[in-house]
Amino acid sequence: MGGTPYFIAYDSLHGYANIERINAAGSGSTTIAGGTWAKGWTHFVPYDLGPTQYLLLYKGGNGQVEINSITGSGNNLTLTEVWSDTWSTGWSHLVPVAHEGTMRLFAYRASTGQVSYNRLNANGQGTQHLGSATWTTNWTSF
């Protein structure tokens, strides 16, 4: 955000979350915001659409998904939910990919090899399904 690197530290068992700003020297971080979020998020997928940054959250156990816009800078970042839905459960990998001027979301389910290709919609308003495939199972990283 604003040329400053941040990351989120999250405890899915208790819901504890911190937004951390990486110090200029790269030797540590400063907590910008902390609190308790919903428990059980398994994926945090940050991506940019135009000038806006978003964070897609997904719970693999029940399929709950939400997209938040991230605004602010410095010591004041705010996450605002802009969209939510329920997807199928068990996606093991969600990867944002910039492709031909749009943002896509690649989803993979390691247990079955199912692959889903999607486009991330403008203004953080969910996804549009573009295609599916089946790969071999148990790929571990993307």
Side-chain angles (χ1 to χ4, degrees):
M1 293 290 300
T4 303
Y6 296 86
F7 66 91
I8 297 172
Y10 174 73
D11 173 346
S12 66
L13 184 61
H14 301 98
Y16 306 140
N18 281 354
I19 298 175
E20 301 280 329
R21 184 186 71 236
I22 297 175
N23 296 336
S27 58
S29 64
T30 301
T31 301
I32 301 304
T36 302
W37 295 359
K39 299 175 186 177
W41 295 112
T42 57
H43 294 72
F44 282 37
V45 182
Y47 65 95
D48 296 337
L49 268 177
T52 306
Q53 294 189 330
Y54 294 95
L55 178 65
L56 183 147
L57 305 170
Y58 172 73
K59 291 183 181 181
N62 67 10
Q64 181 181 352
V65 62
E66 71 178 49
I67 296 176
N68 294 271
S69 68
I70 306 171
T71 56
S73 63
N75 291 333
N76 186 19
L77 289 183
T78 302
L79 274 70
T80 304
E81 184 179 322
V82 294
W83 180 85
S84 65
D85 199 3
T86 301
W87 291 350
S88 59
T89 61
W91 292 108
S92 56
H93 297 76
L94 298 173
V95 182
V97 178
H99 179 69
E100 296 183 352
T102 64
M103 284 302 296
R104 308 293 174 103
L105 184 69
F106 167 80
Y108 172 74
R109 187 177 280 126
S111 61
T112 64
Q114 181 181 3
V115 175
S116 179
Y117 303 100
N118 306 280
R119 183 177 62 84
L120 288 157
N121 294 332
N123 301 315
Q125 296 302 299
T127 60
Q128 175 188 355
H129 181 70
L130 300 174
S132 300
T134 302
W135 291 3
T136 56
T137 60
N138 296 320
W139 292 103
T140 57
S141 297
F142 290 94

